[in-house]
PDB file of all heavy atoms in Angstrom:
ATOM      1  N   ALA A 292     -13.983  64.199 -25.345  1.00 96.00           N
ATOM      2  CA  ALA A 292     -14.315  62.847 -24.893  1.00 96.00           C
ATOM      3  C   ALA A 292     -13.785  61.786 -25.844  1.00 96.00           C
ATOM      4  O   ALA A 292     -13.406  60.689 -25.420  1.00 96.00           O
ATOM      5  CB  ALA A 292     -15.835  62.705 -24.759  1.00 96.00           C
ATOM      6  N   GLN A 293     -13.733  62.113 -27.121  1.00 94.00           N
ATOM      7  CA  GLN A 293     -13.312  61.163 -28.151  1.00 94.00           C
ATOM      8  C   GLN A 293     -11.824  61.268 -28.476  1.00 94.00           C
ATOM      9  O   GLN A 293     -11.283  60.446 -29.205  1.00 94.00           O
ATOM     10  CB  GLN A 293     -14.134  61.399 -29.426  1.00 94.00           C
ATOM     11  CG  GLN A 293     -14.049  60.297 -30.472  1.00 94.00           C
ATOM     12  CD  GLN A 293     -14.811  59.049 -30.073  1.00 94.00           C
ATOM     13  OE1 GLN A 293     -15.203  58.877 -28.908  1.00 94.00           O
ATOM     14  NE2 GLN A 293     -15.033  58.168 -31.032  1.00 94.00           N
ATOM     15  N   GLY A 294     -11.136  62.277 -27.920  1.00 95.00           N
ATOM     16  CA  GLY A 294      -9.716  62.439 -28.185  1.00 95.00           C
ATOM     17  C   GLY A 294      -9.411  63.000 -29.559  1.00 95.00           C
ATOM     18  O   GLY A 294      -8.377  62.682 -30.162  1.00 95.00           O
ATOM     19  N   VAL A 295     -10.293  63.861 -30.071  1.00 95.00           N
ATOM     20  CA  VAL A 295     -10.081  64.510 -31.375  1.00 95.00           C
ATOM     21  C   VAL A 295      -9.458  65.882 -31.108  1.00 95.00           C
ATOM     22  O   VAL A 295     -10.140  66.818 -30.702  1.00 95.00           O
ATOM     23  CB  VAL A 295     -11.403  64.657 -32.154  1.00 95.00           C
ATOM     24  CG1 VAL A 295     -11.143  65.311 -33.518  1.00 95.00           C
ATOM     25  CG2 VAL A 295     -12.080  63.304 -32.323  1.00 95.00           C
ATOM     26  N   TRP A 296      -8.156  66.007 -31.335  1.00 96.00           N
ATOM     27  CA  TRP A 296      -7.429  67.209 -30.963  1.00 96.00           C
ATOM     28  C   TRP A 296      -7.833  68.418 -31.803  1.00 96.00           C
ATOM     29  O   TRP A 296      -8.134  68.285 -32.996  1.00 96.00           O
ATOM     30  CB  TRP A 296      -5.926  67.021 -31.146  1.00 96.00           C
ATOM     31  CG  TRP A 296      -5.304  65.874 -30.429  1.00 96.00           C
ATOM     32  CD1 TRP A 296      -4.750  64.765 -30.978  1.00 96.00           C
ATOM     33  CD2 TRP A 296      -5.159  65.729 -29.002  1.00 96.00           C
ATOM     34  NE1 TRP A 296      -4.268  63.932 -29.998  1.00 96.00           N
ATOM     35  CE2 TRP A 296      -4.499  64.492 -28.785  1.00 96.00           C
ATOM     36  CE3 TRP A 296      -5.522  66.516 -27.907  1.00 96.00           C
ATOM     37  CZ2 TRP A 296      -4.188  64.031 -27.510  1.00 96.00           C
ATOM     38  CZ3 TRP A 296      -5.223  66.050 -26.632  1.00 96.00           C
ATOM     39  CH2 TRP A 296      -4.567  64.832 -26.437  1.00 96.00           C
ATOM     40  N   TYR A 297      -7.784  69.575 -31.206  1.00 96.00           N
ATOM     41  CA  TYR A 297      -7.865  70.832 -31.957  1.00 96.00           C
ATOM     42  C   TYR A 297      -6.638  70.930 -32.860  1.00 96.00           C
ATOM     43  O   TYR A 297      -5.508  70.728 -32.419  1.00 96.00           O
ATOM     44  CB  TYR A 297      -7.894  72.020 -30.983  1.00 96.00           C
ATOM     45  CG  TYR A 297      -7.487  73.337 -31.596  1.00 96.00           C
ATOM     46  CD1 TYR A 297      -8.318  73.983 -32.505  1.00 96.00           C
ATOM     47  CD2 TYR A 297      -6.254  73.913 -31.289  1.00 96.00           C
ATOM     48  CE1 TYR A 297      -7.933  75.188 -33.080  1.00 96.00           C
ATOM     49  CE2 TYR A 297      -5.867  75.118 -31.851  1.00 96.00           C
ATOM     50  CZ  TYR A 297      -6.708  75.745 -32.760  1.00 96.00           C
ATOM     51  OH  TYR A 297      -6.327  76.919 -33.328  1.00 96.00           O
ATOM     52  N   GLY A 298      -6.873  71.217 -34.139  1.00 92.00           N
ATOM     53  CA  GLY A 298      -5.769  71.352 -35.075  1.00 92.00           C
ATOM     54  C   GLY A 298      -5.119  70.051 -35.488  1.00 92.00           C
ATOM     55  O   GLY A 298      -4.114  70.067 -36.204  1.00 92.00           O
ATOM     56  N   GLY A 299      -5.656  68.903 -35.032  1.00 92.00           N
ATOM     57  CA  GLY A 299      -5.140  67.612 -35.451  1.00 92.00           C
ATOM     58  C   GLY A 299      -3.972  67.080 -34.649  1.00 92.00           C
ATOM     59  O   GLY A 299      -3.479  65.982 -34.912  1.00 92.00           O
ATOM     60  N   GLU A 300      -3.495  67.817 -33.657  1.00 94.00           N
ATOM     61  CA  GLU A 300      -2.398  67.341 -32.824  1.00 94.00           C
ATOM     62  C   GLU A 300      -2.516  67.933 -31.427  1.00 94.00           C
ATOM     63  O   GLU A 300      -3.150  68.961 -31.225  1.00 94.00           O
ATOM     64  CB  GLU A 300      -1.050  67.701 -33.433  1.00 94.00           C
ATOM     65  CG  GLU A 300      -0.810  69.196 -33.593  1.00 94.00           C
ATOM     66  CD  GLU A 300       0.520  69.509 -34.262  1.00 94.00           C
ATOM     67  OE1 GLU A 300       1.090  68.628 -34.918  1.00 94.00           O
ATOM     68  OE2 GLU A 300       0.979  70.660 -34.122  1.00 94.00           O
ATOM     69  N   GLU A 301      -1.903  67.258 -30.455  1.00 97.00           N
ATOM     70  CA  GLU A 301      -1.987  67.713 -29.067  1.00 97.00           C
ATOM     71  C   GLU A 301      -1.331  69.083 -28.921  1.00 97.00           C
ATOM     72  O   GLU A 301      -0.170  69.276 -29.293  1.00 97.00           O
ATOM     73  CB  GLU A 301      -1.309  66.703 -28.148  1.00 97.00           C
ATOM     74  CG  GLU A 301      -1.421  67.059 -26.677  1.00 97.00           C
ATOM     75  CD  GLU A 301      -0.883  65.970 -25.767  1.00 97.00           C
ATOM     76  OE1 GLU A 301      -0.636  64.836 -26.252  1.00 97.00           O
ATOM     77  OE2 GLU A 301      -0.704  66.257 -24.565  1.00 97.00           O
ATOM     78  N   THR A 302      -2.108  70.031 -28.389  1.00 97.00           N
ATOM     79  CA  THR A 302      -1.636  71.404 -28.188  1.00 97.00           C
ATOM     80  C   THR A 302      -2.007  71.853 -26.786  1.00 97.00           C
ATOM     81  O   THR A 302      -3.149  71.660 -26.355  1.00 97.00           O
ATOM     82  CB  THR A 302      -2.275  72.363 -29.212  1.00 97.00           C
ATOM     83  OG1 THR A 302      -2.015  71.895 -30.539  1.00 97.00           O
ATOM     84  CG2 THR A 302      -1.733  73.776 -29.051  1.00 97.00           C
ATOM     85  N   HIS A 303      -1.073  72.433 -26.073  1.00 98.00           N
ATOM     86  CA  HIS A 303      -1.345  72.921 -24.715  1.00 98.00           C
ATOM     87  C   HIS A 303      -1.746  74.392 -24.768  1.00 98.00           C
ATOM     88  O   HIS A 303      -1.216  75.171 -25.567  1.00 98.00           O
ATOM     89  CB  HIS A 303      -0.112  72.740 -23.821  1.00 98.00           C
ATOM     90  CG  HIS A 303      -0.417  72.860 -22.368  1.00 98.00           C
ATOM     91  ND1 HIS A 303      -0.396  74.076 -21.702  1.00 98.00           N
ATOM     92  CD2 HIS A 303      -0.764  71.921 -21.446  1.00 98.00           C
ATOM     93  CE1 HIS A 303      -0.705  73.875 -20.435  1.00 98.00           C
ATOM     94  NE2 HIS A 303      -0.933  72.580 -20.246  1.00 98.00           N
ATOM     95  N   ILE A 304      -2.667  74.762 -23.905  1.00 98.00           N
ATOM     96  CA  ILE A 304      -3.197  76.130 -23.916  1.00 98.00           C
ATOM     97  C   ILE A 304      -2.102  77.171 -23.675  1.00 98.00           C
ATOM     98  O   ILE A 304      -2.191  78.303 -24.166  1.00 98.00           O
ATOM     99  CB  ILE A 304      -4.333  76.267 -22.880  1.00 98.00           C
ATOM    100  CG1 ILE A 304      -5.094  77.579 -23.077  1.00 98.00           C
ATOM    101  CG2 ILE A 304      -3.806  76.103 -21.455  1.00 98.00           C
ATOM    102  CD1 ILE A 304      -6.358  77.665 -22.256  1.00 98.00           C
ATOM    103  N   SER A 305      -1.047  76.793 -22.965  1.00 98.00           N
ATOM    104  CA  SER A 305       0.029  77.745 -22.680  1.00 98.00           C
ATOM    105  C   SER A 305       0.813  78.123 -23.931  1.00 98.00           C
ATOM    106  O   SER A 305       1.501  79.153 -23.953  1.00 98.00           O
ATOM    107  CB  SER A 305       0.982  77.169 -21.634  1.00 98.00           C
ATOM    108  OG  SER A 305       1.590  75.979 -22.108  1.00 98.00           O
ATOM    109  N   THR A 306       0.722  77.292 -24.987  1.00 97.00           N
ATOM    110  CA  THR A 306       1.473  77.573 -26.218  1.00 97.00           C
ATOM    111  C   THR A 306       0.609  78.229 -27.286  1.00 97.00           C
ATOM    112  O   THR A 306       1.109  78.501 -28.386  1.00 97.00           O
ATOM    113  CB  THR A 306       2.070  76.275 -26.793  1.00 97.00           C
ATOM    114  OG1 THR A 306       1.015  75.418 -27.263  1.00 97.00           O
ATOM    115  CG2 THR A 306       2.890  75.545 -25.743  1.00 97.00           C
ATOM    116  N   LEU A 307      -0.645  78.498 -26.990  1.00 97.00           N
ATOM    117  CA  LEU A 307      -1.546  79.074 -27.987  1.00 97.00           C
ATOM    118  C   LEU A 307      -1.153  80.517 -28.268  1.00 97.00           C
ATOM    119  O   LEU A 307      -1.298  81.397 -27.421  1.00 97.00           O
ATOM    120  CB  LEU A 307      -2.997  79.008 -27.478  1.00 97.00           C
ATOM    121  CG  LEU A 307      -4.084  79.425 -28.466  1.00 97.00           C
ATOM    122  CD1 LEU A 307      -4.168  78.432 -29.621  1.00 97.00           C
ATOM    123  CD2 LEU A 307      -5.442  79.533 -27.753  1.00 97.00           C
ATOM    124  N   ALA A 308      -0.652  80.752 -29.482  1.00 95.00           N
ATOM    125  CA  ALA A 308      -0.157  82.084 -29.834  1.00 95.00           C
ATOM    126  C   ALA A 308      -1.224  82.939 -30.498  1.00 95.00           C
ATOM    127  O   ALA A 308      -1.157  84.172 -30.453  1.00 95.00           O
ATOM    128  CB  ALA A 308       1.054  81.961 -30.761  1.00 95.00           C
ATOM    129  N   GLU A 309      -2.213  82.297 -31.135  1.00 96.00           N
ATOM    130  CA  GLU A 309      -3.292  83.030 -31.793  1.00 96.00           C
ATOM    131  C   GLU A 309      -4.525  82.159 -31.848  1.00 96.00           C
ATOM    132  O   GLU A 309      -4.440  80.925 -31.806  1.00 96.00           O
ATOM    133  CB  GLU A 309      -2.870  83.459 -33.205  1.00 96.00           C
ATOM    134  CG  GLU A 309      -2.488  82.305 -34.120  1.00 96.00           C
ATOM    135  CD  GLU A 309      -2.002  82.785 -35.477  1.00 96.00           C
ATOM    136  OE1 GLU A 309      -1.891  84.004 -35.660  1.00 96.00           O
ATOM    137  OE2 GLU A 309      -1.745  81.919 -36.347  1.00 96.00           O
ATOM    138  N   LEU A 310      -5.668  82.796 -31.955  1.00 96.00           N
ATOM    139  CA  LEU A 310      -6.915  82.061 -32.057  1.00 96.00           C
ATOM    140  C   LEU A 310      -7.086  81.538 -33.480  1.00 96.00           C
ATOM    141  O   LEU A 310      -6.543  82.104 -34.431  1.00 96.00           O
ATOM    142  CB  LEU A 310      -8.092  82.961 -31.681  1.00 96.00           C
ATOM    143  CG  LEU A 310      -8.107  83.464 -30.236  1.00 96.00           C
ATOM    144  CD1 LEU A 310      -9.297  84.387 -30.007  1.00 96.00           C
ATOM    145  CD2 LEU A 310      -8.135  82.301 -29.252  1.00 96.00           C
ATOM    146  N   PRO A 311      -7.843  80.437 -33.644  1.00 95.00           N
ATOM    147  CA  PRO A 311      -8.025  79.878 -34.985  1.00 95.00           C
ATOM    148  C   PRO A 311      -8.666  80.888 -35.930  1.00 95.00           C
ATOM    149  O   PRO A 311      -9.584  81.622 -35.544  1.00 95.00           O
ATOM    150  CB  PRO A 311      -8.930  78.670 -34.757  1.00 95.00           C
ATOM    151  CG  PRO A 311      -9.560  78.895 -33.420  1.00 95.00           C
ATOM    152  CD  PRO A 311      -8.564  79.657 -32.627  1.00 95.00           C
ATOM    153  N   ALA A 312      -8.192  80.907 -37.151  1.00 96.00           N
ATOM    154  CA  ALA A 312      -8.690  81.870 -38.130  1.00 96.00           C
ATOM    155  C   ALA A 312     -10.075  81.476 -38.616  1.00 96.00           C
ATOM    156  O   ALA A 312     -10.360  80.287 -38.806  1.00 96.00           O
ATOM    157  CB  ALA A 312      -7.735  81.930 -39.313  1.00 96.00           C
ATOM    158  N   PRO A 313     -10.975  82.444 -38.802  1.00 97.00           N
ATOM    159  CA  PRO A 313     -12.271  82.139 -39.412  1.00 97.00           C
ATOM    160  C   PRO A 313     -12.070  81.431 -40.747  1.00 97.00           C
ATOM    161  O   PRO A 313     -11.168  81.771 -41.518  1.00 97.00           O
ATOM    162  CB  PRO A 313     -12.901  83.521 -39.591  1.00 97.00           C
ATOM    163  CG  PRO A 313     -12.277  84.363 -38.523  1.00 97.00           C
ATOM    164  CD  PRO A 313     -10.859  83.862 -38.424  1.00 97.00           C
ATOM    165  N   GLY A 314     -12.899  80.417 -40.991  1.00 96.00           N
ATOM    166  CA  GLY A 314     -12.784  79.627 -42.209  1.00 96.00           C
ATOM    167  C   GLY A 314     -12.000  78.343 -42.036  1.00 96.00           C
ATOM    168  O   GLY A 314     -12.000  77.487 -42.923  1.00 96.00           O
ATOM    169  N   THR A 315     -11.332  78.177 -40.869  1.00 96.00           N
ATOM    170  CA  THR A 315     -10.589  76.947 -40.600  1.00 96.00           C
ATOM    171  C   THR A 315     -11.554  75.765 -40.515  1.00 96.00           C
ATOM    172  O   THR A 315     -12.578  75.833 -39.832  1.00 96.00           O
ATOM    173  CB  THR A 315      -9.807  77.064 -39.283  1.00 96.00           C
ATOM    174  OG1 THR A 315      -8.931  78.184 -39.352  1.00 96.00           O
ATOM    175  CG2 THR A 315      -9.011  75.797 -39.009  1.00 96.00           C
ATOM    176  N   THR A 316     -11.237  74.685 -41.189  1.00 95.00           N
ATOM    177  CA  THR A 316     -12.090  73.495 -41.176  1.00 95.00           C
ATOM    178  C   THR A 316     -12.039  72.807 -39.812  1.00 95.00           C
ATOM    179  O   THR A 316     -10.968  72.666 -39.216  1.00 95.00           O
ATOM    180  CB  THR A 316     -11.646  72.503 -42.264  1.00 95.00           C
ATOM    181  OG1 THR A 316     -11.760  73.129 -43.545  1.00 95.00           O
ATOM    182  CG2 THR A 316     -12.508  71.246 -42.248  1.00 95.00           C
ATOM    183  N   ILE A 317     -13.198  72.373 -39.326  1.00 96.00           N
ATOM    184  CA  ILE A 317     -13.309  71.676 -38.046  1.00 96.00           C
ATOM    185  C   ILE A 317     -13.440  70.179 -38.321  1.00 96.00           C
ATOM    186  O   ILE A 317     -14.286  69.773 -39.130  1.00 96.00           O
ATOM    187  CB  ILE A 317     -14.538  72.170 -37.260  1.00 96.00           C
ATOM    188  CG1 ILE A 317     -14.414  73.669 -36.980  1.00 96.00           C
ATOM    189  CG2 ILE A 317     -14.704  71.394 -35.958  1.00 96.00           C
ATOM    190  CD1 ILE A 317     -15.689  74.289 -36.433  1.00 96.00           C
ATOM    191  N   PRO A 318     -12.626  69.331 -37.694  1.00 94.00           N
ATOM    192  CA  PRO A 318     -12.758  67.881 -37.905  1.00 94.00           C
ATOM    193  C   PRO A 318     -14.096  67.379 -37.399  1.00 94.00           C
ATOM    194  O   PRO A 318     -14.660  67.923 -36.443  1.00 94.00           O
ATOM    195  CB  PRO A 318     -11.591  67.294 -37.102  1.00 94.00           C
ATOM    196  CG  PRO A 318     -11.280  68.324 -36.060  1.00 94.00           C
ATOM    197  CD  PRO A 318     -11.569  69.648 -36.710  1.00 94.00           C
ATOM    198  N   THR A 319     -14.625  66.338 -38.040  1.00 93.00           N
ATOM    199  CA  THR A 319     -15.927  65.797 -37.663  1.00 93.00           C
ATOM    200  C   THR A 319     -15.827  64.302 -37.404  1.00 93.00           C
ATOM    201  O   THR A 319     -14.853  63.651 -37.769  1.00 93.00           O
ATOM    202  CB  THR A 319     -16.972  66.050 -38.770  1.00 93.00           C
ATOM    203  OG1 THR A 319     -16.567  65.380 -39.969  1.00 93.00           O
ATOM    204  CG2 THR A 319     -17.146  67.534 -39.029  1.00 93.00           C
ATOM    205  N   ALA A 320     -16.854  63.763 -36.752  1.00 91.00           N
ATOM    206  CA  ALA A 320     -16.961  62.333 -36.477  1.00 91.00           C
ATOM    207  C   ALA A 320     -18.445  61.999 -36.370  1.00 91.00           C
ATOM    208  O   ALA A 320     -19.296  62.893 -36.390  1.00 91.00           O
ATOM    209  CB  ALA A 320     -16.221  61.981 -35.188  1.00 91.00           C
ATOM    210  N   ASP A 321     -18.772  60.724 -36.227  1.00 88.00           N
ATOM    211  CA  ASP A 321     -20.191  60.352 -36.255  1.00 88.00           C
ATOM    212  C   ASP A 321     -20.967  60.919 -35.076  1.00 88.00           C
ATOM    213  O   ASP A 321     -22.179  61.130 -35.164  1.00 88.00           O
ATOM    214  CB  ASP A 321     -20.366  58.832 -36.356  1.00 88.00           C
ATOM    215  CG  ASP A 321     -19.892  58.070 -35.128  1.00 88.00           C
ATOM    216  OD1 ASP A 321     -19.087  58.614 -34.352  1.00 88.00           O
ATOM    217  OD2 ASP A 321     -20.336  56.912 -34.956  1.00 88.00           O
ATOM    218  N   HIS A 322     -20.285  61.218 -33.943  1.00 93.00           N
ATOM    219  CA  HIS A 322     -21.020  61.779 -32.807  1.00 93.00           C
ATOM    220  C   HIS A 322     -21.530  63.194 -33.091  1.00 93.00           C
ATOM    221  O   HIS A 322     -22.392  63.703 -32.372  1.00 93.00           O
ATOM    222  CB  HIS A 322     -20.175  61.760 -31.528  1.00 93.00           C
ATOM    223  CG  HIS A 322     -18.902  62.534 -31.602  1.00 93.00           C
ATOM    224  ND1 HIS A 322     -17.665  61.946 -31.769  1.00 93.00           N
ATOM    225  CD2 HIS A 322     -18.657  63.870 -31.522  1.00 93.00           C
ATOM    226  CE1 HIS A 322     -16.725  62.862 -31.786  1.00 93.00           C
ATOM    227  NE2 HIS A 322     -17.304  64.055 -31.631  1.00 93.00           N
ATOM    228  N   CYS A 323     -21.009  63.834 -34.158  1.00 95.00           N
ATOM    229  CA  CYS A 323     -21.468  65.188 -34.508  1.00 95.00           C
ATOM    230  C   CYS A 323     -22.951  65.207 -34.897  1.00 95.00           C
ATOM    231  O   CYS A 323     -23.588  66.264 -34.824  1.00 95.00           O
ATOM    232  CB  CYS A 323     -20.633  65.767 -35.642  1.00 95.00           C
ATOM    233  SG  CYS A 323     -18.877  65.989 -35.250  1.00 95.00           S
ATOM    234  N   PHE A 324     -23.493  64.078 -35.316  1.00 96.00           N
ATOM    235  CA  PHE A 324     -24.917  64.040 -35.658  1.00 96.00           C
ATOM    236  C   PHE A 324     -25.795  64.424 -34.462  1.00 96.00           C
ATOM    237  O   PHE A 324     -26.896  64.950 -34.627  1.00 96.00           O
ATOM    238  CB  PHE A 324     -25.315  62.648 -36.171  1.00 96.00           C
ATOM    239  CG  PHE A 324     -24.971  62.389 -37.602  1.00 96.00           C
ATOM    240  CD1 PHE A 324     -23.937  61.526 -37.933  1.00 96.00           C
ATOM    241  CD2 PHE A 324     -25.681  62.999 -38.624  1.00 96.00           C
ATOM    242  CE1 PHE A 324     -23.609  61.278 -39.257  1.00 96.00           C
ATOM    243  CE2 PHE A 324     -25.365  62.765 -39.953  1.00 96.00           C
ATOM    244  CZ  PHE A 324     -24.327  61.900 -40.281  1.00 96.00           C
ATOM    245  N   ALA A 325     -25.325  64.169 -33.230  1.00 96.00           N
ATOM    246  CA  ALA A 325     -26.114  64.516 -32.049  1.00 96.00           C
ATOM    247  C   ALA A 325     -26.259  66.016 -31.883  1.00 96.00           C
ATOM    248  O   ALA A 325     -27.180  66.482 -31.213  1.00 96.00           O
ATOM    249  CB  ALA A 325     -25.468  63.915 -30.793  1.00 96.00           C
ATOM    250  N   CYS A 326     -25.345  66.782 -32.483  1.00 95.00           N
ATOM    251  CA  CYS A 326     -25.383  68.234 -32.363  1.00 95.00           C
ATOM    252  C   CYS A 326     -26.232  68.885 -33.444  1.00 95.00           C
ATOM    253  O   CYS A 326     -26.427  70.119 -33.410  1.00 95.00           O
ATOM    254  CB  CYS A 326     -23.964  68.807 -32.409  1.00 95.00           C
ATOM    255  SG  CYS A 326     -22.944  68.345 -31.009  1.00 95.00           S
ATOM    256  N   THR A 327     -26.704  68.123 -34.408  1.00 95.00           N
ATOM    257  CA  THR A 327     -27.439  68.717 -35.528  1.00 95.00           C
ATOM    258  C   THR A 327     -28.827  68.108 -35.681  1.00 95.00           C
ATOM    259  O   THR A 327     -29.457  68.227 -36.728  1.00 95.00           O
ATOM    260  CB  THR A 327     -26.663  68.521 -36.844  1.00 95.00           C
ATOM    261  OG1 THR A 327     -26.366  67.139 -37.037  1.00 95.00           O
ATOM    262  CG2 THR A 327     -25.378  69.325 -36.836  1.00 95.00           C
ATOM    263  N   VAL A 328     -29.310  67.459 -34.644  1.00 92.00           N
ATOM    264  CA  VAL A 328     -30.659  66.911 -34.672  1.00 92.00           C
ATOM    265  C   VAL A 328     -31.599  67.900 -33.997  1.00 92.00           C
ATOM    266  O   VAL A 328     -31.245  68.524 -32.990  1.00 92.00           O
ATOM    267  CB  VAL A 328     -30.723  65.524 -33.996  1.00 92.00           C
ATOM    268  CG1 VAL A 328     -30.465  65.622 -32.504  1.00 92.00           C
ATOM    269  CG2 VAL A 328     -32.049  64.830 -34.276  1.00 92.00           C
ATOM    270  N   GLY A 329     -32.762  68.144 -34.549  1.00 80.00           N
ATOM    271  CA  GLY A 329     -33.691  69.094 -33.969  1.00 80.00           C
ATOM    272  C   GLY A 329     -33.149  70.510 -34.023  1.00 80.00           C
ATOM    273  O   GLY A 329     -32.649  70.958 -35.049  1.00 80.00           O
TER     274      GLY A 329
END
Side-chain angles (χ1 to χ4, degrees):
Q293 194 73 346
V295 181
W296 304 113
Y297 159 71
E300 61 183 19
E301 183 173 348
T302 304
H303 196 272
I304 192 170
S305 61
T306 68
L307 187 67
E309 59 183 4
L310 296 178
T315 303
T316 299
I317 300 170
T319 62
D321 67 340
H322 60 257
C323 297
F324 280 108
C326 294
T327 54
V328 67

